[in-house]
Amino acid sequence: MFCVTPPELETKMNITKGGLVLFSANSNSSCMELSKKIAERLGVEMGKVQVYQEPNRETRVQIQESVRGKDVFIIQTVSKDVNTTIMELLIMVYACKTSCAKSIIGVIPYFPYSKQCKMRKRGSIVSKLLASMMCKAGLTHLITMDLHQKEIQGFFNIPVDNLRASPFLLQYIQEEIPDYRNAVIVAKSPASAKRAQSFAERLRLGIAVIHGEAQDAESDLVDGRHSPPMVRSVAAIHPSLEIPMLIPKEKPPITVVGDVGGRIAIIVDDIIDDVDSFLAAAEALKERGAYKIFVMATHGLLSSDAPRLIEESAIDEVVVTNTIPHEVQKLQCPKIKTVDISMILSEAIRRIHNGESMSYLFRNIGLDD
């Protein structure tokens, strides 16, 4: 596990006033590791609570200590059973609300359903629904990390602190990749170019962009403008009205814009879930002369056969943070490495509880970061 504590945080981390309660909302023990790390850094004990599934699959939460008048921080890391995870969180938030907690702050490092944040034909914006449910249950503040789209913050009517994992990933590059000066930062699609540019400018490196990779689920038909059926109906359109039809997109062959020959290629993104696009990008980079390929992301969902596919691929190392537990995947694939981000989450909790400014945690972060 890679983690270095800056000196300026070491002296302040364990200073907390009374009236703070830290709960883990997970019934899955593998999801509680991050909560334990945060509690250890804060120098507090985890709150006493039981979260379990009834035989009929209903979720039951029993808080076993007083939270009246206290600041309650509920840490929820997303398990593979994401819907159960959400119900555990909502029920615990509501239980704290009805138990007269002073404030209820959700610490959700990976916000579930964050990819469903745009209208897709006749679908729905599920992340907006989830935000409304959390607020209705009684959440008063949210701490999260690297939202898939920053606009998700606008779905909430409560304060949202969207922390960044990039300082930890940048530190990993500088300290764990000896020849990183010979690297190039790669965006696996034009949509990831801003993130890649941010990494490249901070490391003083070049940038490359891959264009024409396998069709991404979010690239074309994601917004409501495509929702009307593309059928010309004489009855629906006035005879004198000719609406021009949008020319359909045709994906070009995969192309790498930028020089990667004889260089280390570092692909950066926010989420690694279905790895097919990363494997295609790695193959393209290898064909164009990259001699080592790293993939770095904040959230390592690594669904289904991702560990096996990574192990068999041209990728040399996948670096993700522990916003989501992936110990099982690491056993299946030694290429997966973890960066610990419990330090910034615990410092955010400490500052909110003590009423201190959060600006220290957002230093040098621009709109595009």
Side-chain angles (χ1 to χ4, degrees), residues 280-324:
E283 288 296 332
L285 293 168
K286 207 75 172 177
E287 289 173 4
R288 286 158 179 79
Y291 73 89
K292 209 165 188 181
I293 299 170
F294 290 80
V295 175
M296 312 200 78
T298 303
H299 310 296
L301 274 68
L302 302 170
S303 301
S304 58
D305 287 338
R308 179 182 60 81
L309 294 172
I310 291 170
E311 185 65 25
E312 297 171 356
S313 73
I315 297 172
D316 293 281
E317 194 168 287
V318 173
V319 183
V320 292
T321 73
N322 57 342
T323 56
I324 296 171

Side-chain angles (χ1 to χ4, degrees), residues 25-28 50-62 76 79 81-89 91:
N26 285 111
S27 59
N28 188 340
Q50 276 192 331
V51 184
Y52 58 94
Q53 306 298 316
E54 296 276 17
N56 62 0
R57 302 301 298 162
E58 289 184 359
T59 299
R60 185 173 291 274
V61 174
Q62 292 183 340
Q76 182 68 314
S79 66
D81 189 354
V82 63
N83 295 322
T84 297
T85 299
I86 291 168
M87 283 306 300
E88 290 171 347
L89 174 66
I91 294 172

Side-chain angles (χ1 to χ4, degrees), residues 5 110 129 201 214 218 287 353:
T5 305
Y110 170 67
L129 170 65
E201 289 175 353
E218 294 184 79
E287 289 173 4
H353 176 59

Side-chain angles (χ1 to χ4, degrees), residues 9 46 61 103 111 121 186 222-223 233-234 236 245 251 253-254 293 342:
L9 291 186
M46 292 298 300
V61 174
S103 60
F111 189 74
K121 288 194 175 181
V186 180
V222 294
D223 58 29
S233 171
V234 177
M245 302 299 288
K251 192 158 47 26
I254 192 164
I293 299 170
S342 62

Side-chain angles (χ1 to χ4, degrees), residues 155-174:
F155 295 161
F156 291 86
N157 55 15
I158 58 173
V160 177
D161 286 310
N162 182 27
L163 303 175
R164 306 297 197 277
S166 51
F168 297 89
L169 297 175
L170 289 166
Q171 188 179 39
Y172 184 94
I173 292 172
Q174 292 174 314

